[in-house]
Amino acid sequence: MRPRRIRKTPEAARNDFWRSTIALDKRSAKSFIRINDRIRAREIRVIDENGEQMGILAPFEALKIARERGLDLVEVSPNAAPPVCRIQDYGRFLYEKDKSERAARKKQKVIVVKEVKFSVTVDEHDYQTKKNQAVKFLAGGDKVKASLRFRGRQMAHRDLGYNIINRLIQDIGENGIVEFMPRMEGTILHAILAPSKKQEAPKPKPPAPPAPPAAPVQPVQ
């Protein structure tokens, strides 16, 4: 007995079609790069696989040369006049492009804002612990939000809170710079500190090698 075929609705069939189309051309759709028959310009500037200029050609002429060499025609500068295309392996091109983008993302430093909370009644030991945390965060390249919440009648003594936050700024010193001075938002006093950009001291130049001794002058007889 044959299994019963399930008929799909027109909407489900359309969804399957678009899924398959996206899956087949996912890499091209991701990068928005025109290759081979998709290049629509009337004329293009062509560079071969060795980086040599081949001049301005019609796309079909350049594509014929690329296929004879077992390579692709890839549009690398679509906004140029005329667009610049290169004869190369498209798969290798995408691999190198993804590799360079991953390397660039690794070099990017993601700055995180880390919060250090104080209270008006903070004792000396707790203050020193949180100050050291703030210095550690700044040394690691993160920003620090120093916050202090006033509770109930403490709002009448806001000067005590300002004293604590200002003391923290002074104690951090050269380890950070103040991005936002202490300010009130509702019942919370806070300030933002950012890592300081210290300039590296120039490396001392190595001493010059000593000059060779002069040859002795023999007297003329």
Side-chain angles (χ1 to χ4, degrees):
M1 182 176 180
R2 293 182 180 181
R4 183 181 179 183
R5 176 180 291 182
I6 300 174
R7 294 184 177 180
K8 294 183 179 180
T9 63
E11 183 178 357
R14 284 195 300 269
N15 291 338
D16 288 346
F17 169 77
W18 286 114
R19 281 196 207 97
S20 60
T21 302
I22 292 172
L24 288 172
D25 203 18
K26 185 177 181 181
R27 300 179 76 182
S28 297
K30 180 182 178 181
S31 53
F32 299 101
I33 298 171
R34 295 185 183 94
I35 64 168
N36 299 333
D37 296 327
R38 297 182 180 182
I39 298 172
R40 300 302 183 188
R42 292 184 177 180
E43 57 182 16
I44 56 175
R45 188 178 301 277
V46 183
I47 303 172
D48 70 6
E49 66 273 23
N50 298 316
E52 299 293 333
Q53 295 278 349
M54 298 184 65
I56 297 175
L57 302 174
F60 74 90
E61 294 177 354
L63 181 56
K64 181 180 178 182
I65 297 172
R67 285 176 172 169
E68 288 175 352
R69 300 180 183 182
L71 299 171
D72 301 294
L73 185 65
V74 183
E75 190 178 55
V76 293
S77 296
N79 297 325
V84 179
C85 298
R86 183 163 186 164
I87 296 174
Q88 58 187 328
D89 186 328
Y90 182 54
R92 181 71 182 178
F93 168 76
L94 286 180
Y95 171 77
E96 295 292 343
K97 185 173 182 292
D98 291 342
K99 185 178 178 181
S100 62
E101 288 176 354
R102 287 196 301 269
R105 285 194 294 268
K106 287 182 180 179
K107 291 181 180 179
Q108 291 178 349
K109 172 63 179 178
V110 179
I111 298 178
V112 179
V113 179
K114 297 189 176 181
E115 188 173 11
V116 180
K117 297 181 180 181
F118 295 87
S119 65
V120 176
T121 58
V122 62
D123 58 32
E124 183 63 21
H125 180 268
D126 194 23
Y127 169 83
Q128 293 295 336
T129 299
K130 294 185 176 181
K131 182 204 73 174
N132 293 336
Q133 283 181 345
V135 172
K136 182 179 178 181
F137 293 151
L138 293 169
D142 297 320
K143 294 184 180 182
V144 172
K145 177 181 179 181
S147 62
L148 187 149
R149 181 185 294 274
F150 295 93
R151 301 182 183 277
R153 297 181 181 180
Q154 293 177 350
M155 286 292 290
H157 304 282
R158 282 186 259 182
D159 55 325
L160 299 177
Y162 276 93
N163 290 341
I164 293 171
I165 301 298
N166 287 328
R167 178 190 174 188
L168 176 69
I169 293 172
Q170 292 179 355
D171 289 346
I172 286 177
E174 295 181 354
N175 294 301
I177 56 176
V178 182
E179 196 169 83
F180 291 104
M181 292 298 292
R183 61 185 180 187
M184 289 291 301
E185 289 187 0
T187 61
I188 298 176
L189 173 67
H190 68 88
I192 304 292
L193 296 98
S196 61
K197 299 178 180 179
K198 296 182 180 180
Q199 295 182 355
E200 295 183 359
K203 296 181 179 180
K205 295 182 179 180
V217 179
Q218 297 181 357
V220 179
Q221 299 188 7

